[in-house]
Amino acid sequence: MRILVAGGAGFIGSHLCENLIQQGHFVVCIDSLITGSKHNIEHLFNNNFTFIEHDIVNTINMDDIDQVYNLACPASPNKYQKDPISTIDTNVIGTKNLLELAKRNRARFLLASTSEVYGDPQQHPQREDYFGNVNTFGPRACYDEGKRCAETLSYEYSRMYGVETRIARIFNTYGPKMQVDDGRVVSNFIVGALTKHEICIYGDGSQTRCFCYIDDMVEGLVSLMGSDCKTPVNLGSDHEVTVNELANRVNAIFQQEINVVWQSIPQDDPMKRKPDLSKARRELNWNIATPLDMGLEKTAEYFQGQIVSHD
């Protein structure tokens, strides 16, 4: 197939491009390079792969596309909060442009949505039928509400125009090719341990998260695209750990004295986040395969190489 991956030079997108090429597909990667990097995809250039630098907020004209993956939006809070209007435009106008492209090509469309649509959840774990607890006036609203609107657009294009749409609600994902300054907890802990021998914990560290390794997430996205499931599906790990426990696991990898710095918790940062994966297991026959400690070791090895190469 000929597959378009928007945001294909980013963290998840670049791994997805590689997976699709390995399956024998031709991949067209478009990325504005605002947070993506050509470094993530340069090893793919001699394969069935085309890269186009393009912002999906602008119209996209392309023919002979069989599938469209929309991963084109900064996903870490410090990135999407930097320009909140651009974040909203990417999620709303950009998603509409890609849906129009899918409609013209009669292509199947997958939206990379997010666990952020649940906000600071009052349901635990979060099921896909939970409507969420989102602050529309908070600093995270540009991303949370942008993704919620993108889901609505996907639904309406399916209902009104018959576009085959799939929606993945992605929970915390980590692994190689995350940015050094990504700002999310796994990269923060590993980079802090490597560069400053310190880890910064917000709040008291009792908040919980579930972490899915990138290879497992990509398998989930590909499985969802190939499925008959037209309603949102949670993708992630349901192995819940506290932030303090994560810090201890990172400490164990480096086997050295690492200081802990405590800071106040950011506004609207959820205390608990854990997906109910019943639907993914039932509809996709999908589950994570990479243990957290193994994934953290692979990620730490990647960041160590990145930091050494930039010294």
Side-chain angles (χ1 to χ4, degrees):
M1 287 187 289
R2 185 173 161 89
I3 301 174
L4 175 70
V5 180
F11 164 46
I12 296 179
S14 59
H15 284 274
L16 176 62
C17 288
E18 187 170 357
N19 178 287
L20 294 171
I21 288 170
Q22 288 171 353
Q23 291 184 46
H25 302 299
F26 186 92
V27 173
V28 179
C29 164
I30 61 175
D31 201 296
S32 66
L33 299 180
I34 293 172
T35 57
S37 169
K38 281 188 179 179
H39 177 71
N40 290 338
I41 53 173
E42 60 188 5
H43 64 294
L44 302 176
F45 278 26
N46 293 326
N47 296 285
N48 292 327
F49 181 80
T50 297
F51 171 71
I52 301 169
E53 186 172 345
H54 182 85
D55 191 328
I56 63 168
V57 171
N58 301 314
T59 304
I60 306 154
N61 294 311
M62 206 172 293
D63 297 321
D64 301 321
I65 297 294
D66 300 298
Q67 292 182 348
V68 177
Y69 286 86
N70 181 14
L71 293 93
C73 184
S76 64
N78 67 343
K79 300 293 185 182
Y80 66 65
Q81 291 175 22
K82 188 175 181 179
D83 189 345
I85 303 300
S86 176
T87 298
I88 294 168
D89 285 347
T90 300
N91 281 314
V92 180
I93 300 171
T95 296
K96 185 174 184 293
N97 284 337
L98 289 173
L99 282 163
E100 282 289 331
L101 178 72
K103 176 186 164 190
R104 289 195 303 272
N105 282 268
R106 293 185 172 87
R108 182 170 291 190
F109 173 91
L110 185 144
L111 171 69
S113 187
T114 172
S115 59
E116 295 283 349
V117 300
Y118 299 122
D120 187 2
Q122 296 174 335
Q123 180 190 89
H124 189 76
Q126 293 86 59
R127 295 192 311 270
E128 290 88 349
D129 59 1
Y130 176 53
F131 294 151
N133 177 40
V134 178
N135 176 10
T136 61
F137 279 76
R140 302 169 80 104
C142 59
Y143 186 70
D144 301 358
E145 292 296 274
K147 287 292 189 182
R148 285 161 70 100
C149 187
E151 287 195 12
T152 304
L153 279 166
S154 300
Y155 166 74
E156 293 296 356
Y157 266 77
S158 174
R159 187 179 68 86
M160 295 184 67
Y161 305 120
V163 177
E164 285 282 332
T165 59
R166 305 291 182 263
I167 297 172
R169 289 181 178 163
I170 297 175
F171 282 69
N172 291 62
T173 306
Y174 72 100
K177 298 187 184 177
M178 295 179 81
Q179 292 179 309
V180 170
D181 61 347
D182 182 83
R184 283 177 282 192
V185 64
V186 170
S187 52
N188 277 354
F189 281 7
I190 292 175
V191 172
L194 283 170
T195 59
K196 302 177 184 176
H197 302 295
E198 72 178 33
I199 282 175
C200 176
I201 294 178
Y202 296 98
D204 62 5
S206 64
Q207 60 269 44
T208 65
R209 296 291 185 272
C210 303
F211 300 98
C212 180
Y213 189 64
I214 181 61
D215 291 353
D216 296 322
M217 178 55 64
V218 168
E219 289 295 330
L221 291 170
V222 173
S223 296
L224 177 56
M225 178 65 97
S227 77
D228 294 325
C229 194
K230 298 181 179 181
T231 52
V233 178
N234 290 336
L235 293 178
S237 168
D238 57 359
H239 174 59
E240 191 173 12
V241 297
T242 66
V243 170
N244 286 330
E245 184 181 346
L246 181 70
N248 291 335
R249 289 178 183 235
V250 171
N251 279 344
I253 292 172
F254 294 107
Q255 297 180 338
Q256 61 185 6
E257 188 65 31
I258 298 175
N259 297 320
V260 175
V261 177
W262 305 90
Q263 293 191 11
S264 58
I265 197 164
Q267 182 182 342
D268 298 330
D269 194 51
M271 286 303 297
K272 286 182 175 290
R273 183 162 283 163
K274 175 183 176 180
D276 184 318
L277 296 177
S278 303
K279 189 173 182 180
R281 293 187 176 115
R282 182 178 67 250
E283 301 285 343
L284 311 180
N285 193 28
W286 173 85
N287 208 342
I288 64 165
T290 309
L292 179 57
D293 288 333
M294 180 188 295
L296 289 174
E297 287 177 8
K298 290 181 178 180
T299 308
E301 183 179 344
Y302 168 79
F303 275 119
Q304 199 155 18
Q306 290 294 299
I307 289 166
V308 168
S309 68
H310 285 87
D311 284 346

